Amino acid sequence: MIIVMKAGTPEAEIDKLSQELTTNWGLTPEKIVGRHKVVIGLVGDTVYLDPLQLREMSSWIEEVLRVERPYKRASLEYRQGEPSEVLVSTPAGNVPIGLHHPLTIVAGPCSVENEEMIVETAMRVKAAGAQFLRGGAYKPRTSPYAFQGHGESALGLLAAARKASGLGIITEVMDAADLDAIEEVADVIQIGARNMQNFSLLKKVGARNKPVLLKRGMSATIEEWLMAAEYILAAGNPDVILCERGIRAFDRQYARNTLDLSAIPVLRGLTHLPIMIDPSHGTGWAEYVPSMAMAAIAAGTDSLMIEVHPNPKKALSDGPQSLTPDQFDKLMGELAVIGKVMNRWPKPVPVLA
Amino acid sequence: MIIVMKAGTPEAEIDKLSQELTTNWGLTPEKIVGRHKVVIGLVGDTVYLDPLQLREMSSWIEEVLRVERPYKRASLEYRQGEPSEVLVSTPAGNVPIGLHHPLTIVAGPCSVENEEMIVETAMRVKAAGAQFLRGGAYKPRTSPYAFQGHGESALGLLAAARKASGLGIITEVMDAADLDAIEEVADVIQIGARNMQNFSLLKKVGARNKPVLLKRGMSATIEEWLMAAEYILAAGNPDVILCERGIRAFDRQYARNTLDLSAIPVLRGLTHLPIMIDPSHGTGWAEYVPSMAMAAIAAGTDSLMIEVHPNPKKALSDGPQSLTPDQFDKLMGELAVIGKVMNRWPKPVPVLA
Amino acid sequence: MIIVMKAGTPEAEIDKLSQELTTNWGLTPEKIVGRHKVVIGLVGDTVYLDPLQLREMSSWIEEVLRVERPYKRASLEYRQGEPSEVLVSTPAGNVPIGLHHPLTIVAGPCSVENEEMIVETAMRVKAAGAQFLRGGAYKPRTSPYAFQGHGESALGLLAAARKASGLGIITEVMDAADLDAIEEVADVIQIGARNMQNFSLLKKVGARNKPVLLKRGMSATIEEWLMAAEYILAAGNPDVILCERGIRAFDRQYARNTLDLSAIPVLRGLTHLPIMIDPSHGTGWAEYVPSMAMAAIAAGTDSLMIEVHPNPKKALSDGPQSLTPDQFDKLMGELAVIGKVMNRWPKPVPVLA
Amino acid sequence: MIIVMKAGTPEAEIDKLSQELTTNWGLTPEKIVGRHKVVIGLVGDTVYLDPLQLREMSSWIEEVLRVERPYKRASLEYRQGEPSEVLVSTPAGNVPIGLHHPLTIVAGPCSVENEEMIVETAMRVKAAGAQFLRGGAYKPRTSPYAFQGHGESALGLLAAARKASGLGIITEVMDAADLDAIEEVADVIQIGARNMQNFSLLKKVGARNKPVLLKRGMSATIEEWLMAAEYILAAGNPDVILCERGIRAFDRQYARNTLDLSAIPVLRGLTHLPIMIDPSHGTGWAEYVPSMAMAAIAAGTDSLMIEVHPNPKKALSDGPQSLTPDQFDKLMGELAVIGKVMNRWPKPVPVLA
């Protein structure tokens, strides 16, 4: 953090300010005196400081400028530039997600509707090459009158699908009270976009040791998103995957959100955490999913989350953005072409006899 | 809801679709046949329908258009065009908030720091004319390393300030587990912008009978905001106040948020619920607060929420956007001028001897 | 501008950089040496510098931070904190627009349709208290098939209305080739939102000596807007009025734009230029205009631009956001109440016998 | 267009409205009578209609809904679903740009600085596989004090580079007065993002017969962009290429714009026009360009525009987002891998002996 003092600031004011920074804020202010201006560099753990707060300390302050990042455990520097992997234990063994591993594919319906549909979907996406099944038991819906998910009973259906398919399970938590039940079936716990800054919930999943999939809030800056991840990391859980799912911009006439694929190279330069892209929510329409999934792989994502439903026309939620299993099969074939030339496509897993 | 069929849709397809709408969706489809096209009007409670879902029902559907509003209890029609009031019980008696009442002024610090500061602030804002004290015990902060509020102990301090001043108390809930403790001291429970779509929490405050202040999410559309209110209303709690606090736009260099004052006339045409404006969060800087508070009154707000701190330079949070008690005194004088000509300024309350 | 060097930057690198800043960029670099870091302050006319460019000069540079404003003639400092006024010569005498003067009211239709309607509108808005008539001869329309304005012939009709009413005329230029013809009738030349960064056009109106009304671009930051004004000022024309007309945010379902009233206090702290607010384009619907016009006055605007059409239902453009003359009469009565308590309402002009 | 009448609308009102639609608007209204409501379908060329205008016609109108697209010549239907190609004549022969052709690569500096740099850049990007050289003679700059381009003299340098390299030339027009001079050297005329709704300029390039590259405005919706293309097409010039270059969202801390790659599949469903992606402006930083260029090819773009400068540190504009020729060579190698598996990579051109 750098404090720029106005030209002509009295020496006494600078001393008083330096004193206060030392005593009240635990910092080592480093005075750098120029011909016209004095600049105070702050040495110490500035991650805990708020530039806005500092600026109020004296009316002689011209500007307070943050040079360092406001997050720490999420930063690339925290691991000396080395990407981290999240190792997820699934019925089929440990699946690593991260830059030095093949692409991880997550697929499944928006919500778990009944046993038949979830097991069928699981078997189909597994056969097509997915490693994880997604499916919501608790659904955040804009309207209180829309289908809210089958709740706890859906968790049992996910368990059945997990057992039948051997896929890992990713499902969303909306209420901390459901965490115990969710943990019994989920291999990865999802925090949805609307709860990205539900700090109570972040702290609670941070206190568990299940991997967490943290979706980006609809209007969250990259920095706010990393700060949300920092909440989980700081609470003790090191296994966070960042999932971009479309941001809110000014045009929602065609694509319902704006999928920010530049988040991939931006995050690579800032954080060690693995990256997932969700082109289904990211665009809102099934017809746009294939080209955005292709693009995500070419841009270097570590994983993809794609909505698949056995009968999108009858889906209780998000039908318009779901692929059918047949469309998903076809897409996986196309993704494999790009994935292979990017050296990120999974080798075929030997089937257990 | 209106379904426009493509030109040339076979009669049989329309019959099949009508059948399905009746059987599976409980609607009365009304076929309106033109020379080139058929349009199906849907009679019934379309508030529970998703146009996106309907569109998937047949490939002969050209467009599904929602004509009605997707909320019901929050709509102006629900009360036949009559604005509602929220009557809040406070130590000084019942305070009504709504269009047919004088302006309600809420003031106080971002967070409760200690007994002296909160009691002092309460006495000062009360003397200046406020009816409510705001103050956070639980604080949603972007950084996990920033001051998170004093939590439960701060609730005790709010109780002390309430007793000393007679002001009503508004404080934020971040975790449903704290609701019991908060209810003991709060006269109005606040849902913060970041939790506007924390649907679990909305349902839980909806099941209580304390009035709820629902802040608009940073990128929430007017409709999403009213749908969030609908969650509370549908859960049985009729006392919801809508608070605009700045939306996120593309320019945050000066004002940190964009205060959307046009929400006032827009909401008036859509909902009966009372309206509050928060120019402190809405702009992020104390120097912009007075003119935006003036504007809010002129635009017809029912209440204002303004941050006041005895010493903003030392505030543990949101110092830059807080007024000093002296600045607040001065502002109240200016607001009174506008409030009076708008016929919304409170009559002086006779002081108890 | 401040250049922060990375810790451990070799002395030679700093010397080389300083040399380059002096020789190639004409600056006086001021080295300020701290214990860990060196910071280089740049003295000189940094208004001409691009921080992005500087950052490329050495890989040892950690950050380049702009402290000063990138505009100069538009800045409040340029006039030592004193607001400027724009004095417009009209048939009824000179009308000053600015902070130390009564509110200026501009009213009239979106486009000039025929002589009768423009003269009638002029007489009505004049009678209601307006000083200027707005009306488009050349119309920027999203669709090439929409009415594009009557062009040059409409200028003649504006001249007739000017003569009949004594009002000043404000009309938009879309093409520099029309400037001569426009100058003959217009007292203020308008640059529309879509042309705010049409730099060729800005230079050309900057070379004339008619006052210019510069509308804010739909997604222009405050700084970009002031830089656009700087183009006109730098070209020699000191008479620029800034007009906020709604920015583009994520929700256009009800208000069609988001009127950014906080621009008023923000601009007051940055620039000496007079401010106008256009609540008609700013909201897009006539029903929202009155409360936003009230708010604009309370927030301290210097002038208002309001669309008025004798028969909005038949308007060739922008009907939905136009008031009828009767509605405008009523609104002026309401505005007077606020205007008077703000000490900004014009004294009644003695009518010539 | 569909007009929904309120329940209970008198028969006479519907007749009056129908009459008016026929007489004044030249439409064939088709009344479709249901049990509760009447809906009026409008048959005719509704591309010329404004739904807002229609809504004002009667207070019995509940809603006016546009079903058709407001553009015509730009629509996919206009060519019966067949993508168009733009055939550009260059010194090396005709280069077709479009879906059924190999990727077209445009590369070069932001602005033309001197003969040596532009010729050198041309030779390097040509050697790496580009078909077009970009380079600005007239530069739209936020600040009037920034380098504005060398203007007409730079056109001569582009001609030299064209001759030396055989590359086609793409350069921007900012002022219609420069069109003649630009046409002499440019093979494609560029309309910049800031001029996307400079309708005068659109009409003028529409009246010429050079291909036009139309960049998307920073906050232009897809529909507004296509309407801007429609201006050019309606003026008689059929050769328009649409270039996405990053939109303005709420986070500019890292990527300076948000590259909207979903525009690719969205445009494919709406228009026959060829698509170009500019990842340099789209992200603002050279380090993000490669992954976004890769993604654009995988998403199906027809062409790419990439900034290349022989010495970005010394560039007079846009240095931070420019690749060096060496970086561009390396990138082209990477792009070829994706381009080939997408079947869009150009076959090597036989070198003339």
Side-chain angles (χ1 to χ4, degrees):
Chain A
M1 210 92 79
I2 283 177
I3 302 180
V4 183
M5 304 302 295
K6 289 180 185 166
T9 305
E11 189 68 18
E13 181 72 18
I14 291 167
D15 290 348
K16 209 186 92 198
L17 185 63
S18 298
Q19 192 55 49
E20 214 171 313
L21 288 162
T22 310
T23 315
N24 299 352
W25 299 80
L27 296 164
T28 310
E30 184 181 322
K31 191 166 67 171
I32 28 191
V33 183
R35 220 170 339 142
H36 298 89
K37 285 185 180 179
V38 168
V39 166
I40 303 174
L42 297 181
V43 180
D45 217 346
T46 56
V47 86
Y48 307 106
L49 290 183
D50 180 355
L52 294 176
Q53 218 67 30
L54 287 182
R55 190 152 146 187
E56 294 297 298
M57 291 177 68
S58 161
S59 57
W60 286 98
I61 293 177
E62 188 167 293
E63 196 85 54
V64 177
L65 305 155
R66 179 184 282 285
V67 180
E68 313 80 13
R69 308 236 154 88
Y71 44 88
K72 190 174 172 172
R73 288 168 180 81
S75 74
L76 193 55
E77 292 74 20
Y78 191 69
R79 285 180 49 94
Q80 290 83 41
E82 186 57 33
S84 60
E85 64 174 36
V86 169
L87 197 67
V88 189
S89 136
T90 77
N94 286 342
V95 178
I97 304 177
L99 183 61
H100 299 318
H101 298 283
L103 268 166
T104 307
I105 308 290
V106 183
C110 175
S111 56
V112 177
E113 298 175 8
N114 57 60
E115 181 159 354
E116 191 195 338
M117 73 78 80
I118 193 68
V119 173
E120 179 195 335
T121 308
M123 300 312 289
R124 288 294 304 266
V125 303
K126 159 94 177 186
Q131 293 85 32
F132 287 90
L133 177 70
R134 62 152 288 152
Y138 306 92
K139 297 301 311 167
R141 303 301 301 276
T142 304
S143 167
Y145 309 122
F147 173 57
Q148 308 273 313
H150 285 311
E152 201 160 342
S153 71
L155 294 176
L157 305 183
L158 282 171
R162 184 177 189 268
K163 198 172 163 192
S165 66
L167 293 174
I169 298 293
I170 301 185
T171 197
E172 178 170 352
V173 62
M174 287 180 62
D175 189 323
D178 303 319
L179 269 175
D180 284 337
I182 289 171
E183 269 207 347
E184 271 177 53
V185 57
D187 301 290
V188 176
I189 297 173
Q190 178 177 320
I191 299 284
R194 288 169 185 78
N195 279 316
M196 192 202 84
Q197 289 193 319
N198 179 341
F199 300 119
S200 297
L201 192 56
L202 295 179
K203 288 176 185 173
K204 283 173 188 168
V205 298
R208 307 240 159 182
N209 45 33
K210 281 272 166 167
V212 177
L213 180 69
L214 180 66
K215 291 207 151 188
R216 181 179 183 181
M218 243 172 298
S219 64
T221 63
I222 295 280
E223 195 165 290
E224 288 167 341
W225 189 15
L226 290 172
M227 293 302 276
E230 189 84 4
Y231 261 92
I232 301 169
L233 301 171
N237 186 339
D239 293 321
V240 176
I241 304 153
L242 299 167
C243 182
E244 158 67 27
R245 46 77 72 209
I247 57 173
R248 177 154 283 183
F250 50 83
D251 189 8
R252 294 189 284 155
Q253 189 176 5
Y254 301 108
R256 279 156 61 206
N257 292 298
T258 299
L259 186 66
D260 178 15
L261 288 175
S262 71
I264 299 172
V266 169
L267 288 172
R268 287 287 183 234
L270 298 174
T271 184
H272 56 85
L273 297 171
I275 300 168
M276 186 180 290
I277 298 291
D278 174 351
S280 305
H281 286 89
T283 63
W285 296 102
E287 64 194 283
Y288 304 146
V289 168
S291 60
M292 290 299 97
M294 302 284 275
I297 297 178
T301 189
D302 300 324
S303 47
L304 281 172
M305 172 175 267
I306 294 174
E307 287 202 358
V308 176
H309 190 286
N311 188 352
K313 293 185 192 183
K314 304 278 186 192
L316 295 178
S317 55
D318 279 0
Q321 71 193 33
S322 296
L323 302 184
T324 61
D326 287 352
Q327 290 169 330
F328 183 66
D329 286 347
K330 180 166 174 288
L331 176 59
M332 284 294 279
E334 293 163 357
L335 297 182
V337 173
I338 298 280
K340 281 171 191 165
V341 298
M342 298 290 294
N343 292 317
R344 295 296 295 277
W345 201 249
K347 301 282 175 298
V349 180
V351 181
L352 299 178
Chain B
M1 209 93 77
I2 282 177
I3 301 180
V4 183
M5 304 303 294
K6 290 181 186 165
T9 305
E11 189 69 18
E13 181 73 19
I14 291 168
D15 289 347
K16 209 187 92 198
L17 185 62
S18 298
Q19 192 56 47
E20 213 171 316
L21 289 162
T22 310
T23 315
N24 300 352
W25 299 80
L27 296 164
T28 308
E30 185 181 321
K31 193 166 67 171
I32 27 191
V33 184
R35 220 170 341 141
H36 298 88
K37 284 185 181 180
V38 168
V39 166
I40 302 174
L42 298 180
V43 178
D45 218 346
T46 58
V47 87
Y48 307 106
L49 290 183
D50 181 354
L52 294 175
Q53 219 68 31
L54 287 183
R55 189 152 146 186
E56 294 297 299
M57 289 177 68
S58 161
S59 57
W60 286 98
I61 294 178
E62 187 167 294
E63 196 85 54
V64 177
L65 305 155
R66 180 184 280 284
V67 180
E68 313 79 15
R69 307 235 154 90
Y71 44 88
K72 189 173 173 173
R73 290 168 180 80
S75 74
L76 192 54
E77 291 74 20
Y78 191 69
R79 285 180 49 93
Q80 288 83 42
E82 187 56 34
S84 60
E85 63 173 38
V86 170
L87 197 66
V88 189
S89 136
T90 77
N94 287 342
V95 178
I97 304 178
L99 182 61
H100 298 318
H101 298 282
L103 267 165
T104 307
I105 308 289
V106 182
C110 175
S111 57
V112 178
E113 297 174 9
N114 57 58
E115 181 158 357
E116 192 194 338
M117 73 78 79
I118 193 68
V119 173
E120 180 195 335
T121 308
M123 300 311 289
R124 288 294 303 266
V125 303
K126 159 93 177 185
Q131 292 86 30
F132 287 90
L133 178 70
R134 61 152 288 152
Y138 306 93
K139 297 302 309 168
R141 304 300 300 277
T142 304
S143 168
Y145 310 122
F147 174 58
Q148 308 274 313
H150 286 310
E152 202 160 343
S153 71
L155 294 176
L157 306 182
L158 281 171
R162 183 176 188 270
K163 198 173 164 190
S165 66
L167 293 173
I169 298 292
I170 300 185
T171 197
E172 178 170 350
V173 61
M174 287 179 61
D175 190 322
D178 303 319
L179 268 174
D180 283 337
I182 289 171
E183 270 206 346
E184 271 178 53
V185 58
D187 300 291
V188 177
I189 297 174
Q190 178 178 317
I191 299 285
R194 287 169 185 79
N195 280 316
M196 192 202 84
Q197 289 193 319
N198 178 342
F199 301 118
S200 297
L201 192 56
L202 294 179
K203 287 176 184 174
K204 284 174 187 167
V205 298
R208 308 238 160 184
N209 44 33
K210 282 272 165 168
V212 177
L213 180 69
L214 180 65
K215 291 206 150 190
R216 180 180 183 182
M218 243 172 298
S219 63
T221 61
I222 294 280
E223 194 165 290
E224 288 166 342
W225 189 15
L226 289 172
M227 293 302 276
E230 188 84 5
Y231 262 94
I232 302 169
L233 300 171
N237 187 337
D239 293 322
V240 176
I241 304 153
L242 298 167
C243 181
E244 159 67 28
R245 44 76 73 209
I247 57 172
R248 175 153 284 183
F250 52 81
D251 190 9
R252 295 190 284 154
Q253 188 176 7
Y254 300 107
R256 278 156 60 206
N257 292 298
T258 298
L259 187 66
D260 178 14
L261 287 175
S262 70
I264 299 171
V266 169
L267 289 173
R268 287 286 183 237
L270 299 174
T271 184
H272 57 84
L273 297 171
I275 301 168
M276 185 180 290
I277 299 290
D278 173 353
S280 304
H281 286 89
T283 63
W285 295 102
E287 64 194 283
Y288 304 146
V289 168
S291 59
M292 289 300 97
M294 302 285 273
I297 298 177
T301 188
D302 300 323
S303 49
L304 280 172
M305 173 175 267
I306 293 174
E307 288 202 359
V308 176
H309 190 285
N311 188 351
K313 293 184 191 182
K314 305 276 186 195
L316 295 179
S317 55
D318 279 358
Q321 72 193 34
S322 295
L323 302 184
T324 62
D326 286 353
Q327 289 169 330
F328 183 66
D329 286 349
K330 181 166 172 292
L331 176 59
M332 285 294 279
E334 293 163 359
L335 296 182
V337 173
I338 298 280
K340 280 171 190 164
V341 298
M342 297 289 294
N343 292 317
R344 296 295 296 274
W345 201 247
K347 301 283 174 298
V349 180
V351 181
L352 299 177
Chain C
M1 208 93 79
I2 282 178
I3 301 179
V4 183
M5 304 303 295
K6 291 180 184 165
T9 305
E11 189 69 21
E13 181 73 18
I14 291 167
D15 289 348
K16 208 186 92 199
L17 185 61
S18 299
Q19 192 56 46
E20 214 170 314
L21 289 162
T22 311
T23 314
N24 300 351
W25 299 79
L27 297 164
T28 309
E30 185 181 319
K31 190 166 67 171
I32 29 192
V33 183
R35 220 172 339 143
H36 298 89
K37 285 185 181 180
V38 168
V39 166
I40 303 174
L42 297 181
V43 179
D45 217 345
T46 57
V47 87
Y48 308 105
L49 289 183
D50 180 354
L52 294 175
Q53 217 68 30
L54 287 181
R55 188 150 147 190
E56 294 296 300
M57 290 178 67
S58 160
S59 57
W60 285 98
I61 293 178
E62 188 167 293
E63 197 85 53
V64 177
L65 305 155
R66 180 183 281 283
V67 180
E68 314 81 12
R69 308 236 154 89
Y71 43 88
K72 190 173 173 174
R73 287 168 181 82
S75 74
L76 194 53
E77 292 74 20
Y78 191 69
R79 285 180 49 94
Q80 288 83 42
E82 187 58 34
S84 60
E85 63 174 36
V86 169
L87 197 67
V88 188
S89 138
T90 77
N94 287 342
V95 178
I97 305 178
L99 183 60
H100 299 318
H101 299 282
L103 268 165
T104 307
I105 308 291
V106 183
C110 175
S111 57
V112 177
E113 298 174 9
N114 56 59
E115 181 158 356
E116 191 194 337
M117 73 78 78
I118 194 68
V119 173
E120 179 195 335
T121 309
M123 300 312 289
R124 288 293 304 265
V125 303
K126 160 92 178 187
Q131 293 85 31
F132 288 89
L133 177 71
R134 62 152 288 152
Y138 305 93
K139 297 302 309 169
R141 304 300 299 278
T142 304
S143 167
Y145 310 122
F147 174 56
Q148 309 273 314
H150 286 310
E152 202 160 342
S153 71
L155 295 177
L157 306 182
L158 282 171
R162 184 176 188 267
K163 196 171 165 191
S165 66
L167 293 173
I169 298 293
I170 301 186
T171 197
E172 178 171 351
V173 63
M174 287 179 62
D175 189 323
D178 303 319
L179 269 174
D180 284 337
I182 290 171
E183 269 206 348
E184 270 176 55
V185 59
D187 300 292
V188 176
I189 296 173
Q190 178 177 319
I191 299 284
R194 289 170 185 77
N195 279 316
M196 192 202 86
Q197 290 194 319
N198 178 343
F199 300 119
S200 297
L201 191 57
L202 295 178
K203 288 177 184 172
K204 284 173 188 167
V205 298
R208 308 239 160 183
N209 45 32
K210 281 273 164 165
V212 177
L213 180 69
L214 180 65
K215 291 207 149 188
R216 181 180 183 180
M218 244 173 295
S219 64
T221 63
I222 295 280
E223 194 164 290
E224 289 166 342
W225 189 15
L226 290 172
M227 294 302 275
E230 189 84 4
Y231 261 92
I232 301 169
L233 300 171
N237 186 338
D239 293 322
V240 176
I241 304 153
L242 299 167
C243 181
E244 158 68 26
R245 44 78 71 208
I247 56 172
R248 176 155 283 184
F250 51 82
D251 190 8
R252 295 188 286 155
Q253 188 175 6
Y254 301 107
R256 279 157 59 207
N257 292 298
T258 298
L259 186 66
D260 179 14
L261 287 175
S262 70
I264 299 172
V266 169
L267 288 173
R268 286 287 184 236
L270 299 174
T271 183
H272 56 84
L273 297 171
I275 300 167
M276 186 181 289
I277 299 290
D278 173 351
S280 304
H281 286 88
T283 62
W285 296 102
E287 65 193 283
Y288 303 147
V289 167
S291 59
M292 290 300 96
M294 301 285 274
I297 298 179
T301 189
D302 300 324
S303 48
L304 281 171
M305 173 176 267
I306 294 174
E307 287 202 357
V308 176
H309 189 286
N311 188 351
K313 292 183 192 183
K314 304 277 186 193
L316 295 179
S317 55
D318 280 358
Q321 72 193 33
S322 295
L323 302 184
T324 61
D326 286 352
Q327 289 170 329
F328 182 66
D329 286 348
K330 181 166 172 289
L331 176 59
M332 285 294 279
E334 293 163 359
L335 296 181
V337 173
I338 298 280
K340 279 170 191 166
V341 298
M342 297 290 294
N343 292 317
R344 295 296 296 274
W345 202 249
K347 301 283 176 295
V349 181
V351 180
L352 299 178
Chain D
M1 209 94 77
I2 283 177
I3 301 180
V4 183
M5 304 303 295
K6 291 181 185 164
T9 305
E11 189 69 18
E13 181 73 19
I14 291 168
D15 290 347
K16 209 187 91 198
L17 185 62
S18 298
Q19 192 56 47
E20 214 171 313
L21 288 162
T22 310
T23 315
N24 300 351
W25 298 81
L27 297 164
T28 309
E30 184 180 322
K31 191 165 67 170
I32 28 192
V33 183
R35 220 171 339 143
H36 298 88
K37 284 186 182 179
V38 168
V39 167
I40 303 174
L42 297 181
V43 179
D45 216 346
T46 58
V47 86
Y48 308 106
L49 290 183
D50 180 354
L52 295 175
Q53 218 69 28
L54 287 182
R55 190 152 147 187
E56 294 298 298
M57 290 177 67
S58 161
S59 57
W60 285 98
I61 293 178
E62 188 167 293
E63 196 86 54
V64 177
L65 305 155
R66 180 184 282 284
V67 181
E68 313 79 13
R69 307 237 155 88
Y71 43 89
K72 191 173 170 173
R73 289 169 179 82
S75 74
L76 193 54
E77 291 74 20
Y78 191 69
R79 285 179 50 93
Q80 288 84 40
E82 187 56 33
S84 60
E85 64 174 35
V86 170
L87 197 67
V88 189
S89 136
T90 76
N94 286 343
V95 178
I97 304 179
L99 182 60
H100 298 319
H101 298 283
L103 268 165
T104 306
I105 307 291
V106 182
C110 176
S111 57
V112 178
E113 298 174 8
N114 56 59
E115 181 160 355
E116 190 194 338
M117 74 78 80
I118 194 69
V119 173
E120 179 195 336
T121 308
M123 300 312 289
R124 287 295 303 266
V125 302
K126 159 94 178 187
Q131 292 86 31
F132 286 90
L133 177 72
R134 62 152 288 152
Y138 305 92
K139 297 301 310 168
R141 304 300 301 276
T142 304
S143 167
Y145 309 123
F147 174 58
Q148 309 274 313
H150 286 311
E152 202 161 341
S153 70
L155 294 177
L157 306 182
L158 282 171
R162 184 175 188 270
K163 197 172 163 189
S165 67
L167 293 173
I169 298 293
I170 300 185
T171 198
E172 179 170 351
V173 62
M174 288 179 63
D175 189 323
D178 303 319
L179 269 174
D180 285 337
I182 289 171
E183 269 206 347
E184 271 177 53
V185 58
D187 300 292
V188 177
I189 296 173
Q190 178 177 319
I191 299 285
R194 288 169 185 79
N195 279 317
M196 191 202 84
Q197 289 193 319
N198 178 341
F199 301 118
S200 298
L201 192 56
L202 295 179
K203 287 175 185 173
K204 284 174 188 167
V205 298
R208 308 236 161 187
N209 45 32
K210 282 272 166 166
V212 176
L213 180 69
L214 180 65
K215 290 206 150 189
R216 182 179 182 181
M218 243 173 297
S219 63
T221 62
I222 294 280
E223 194 164 292
E224 289 166 342
W225 189 14
L226 289 173
M227 293 302 275
E230 188 83 4
Y231 262 94
I232 301 169
L233 300 171
N237 187 338
D239 293 321
V240 176
I241 304 153
L242 298 167
C243 181
E244 158 67 27
R245 46 75 73 206
I247 55 172
R248 176 154 283 183
F250 51 82
D251 190 8
R252 294 190 284 155
Q253 189 176 4
Y254 302 108
R256 280 154 62 205
N257 291 299
T258 298
L259 186 66
D260 179 14
L261 287 176
S262 70
I264 299 172
V266 169
L267 289 173
R268 286 286 183 236
L270 299 174
T271 184
H272 57 84
L273 298 171
I275 301 168
M276 186 181 288
I277 299 291
D278 173 352
S280 305
H281 286 89
T283 63
W285 296 102
E287 65 194 283
Y288 304 146
V289 168
S291 59
M292 289 300 97
M294 301 285 273
I297 297 178
T301 188
D302 300 322
S303 49
L304 282 171
M305 174 176 265
I306 294 175
E307 287 202 358
V308 176
H309 189 285
N311 188 351
K313 293 185 190 182
K314 304 279 185 193
L316 294 179
S317 55
D318 280 359
Q321 71 193 34
S322 296
L323 302 184
T324 62
D326 287 352
Q327 289 169 330
F328 183 66
D329 286 347
K330 180 165 173 290
L331 176 58
M332 285 293 280
E334 293 163 359
L335 297 182
V337 173
I338 298 281
K340 280 171 191 164
V341 298
M342 297 290 294
N343 292 318
R344 296 296 295 275
W345 200 247
K347 302 284 174 296
V349 181
V351 180
L352 299 179

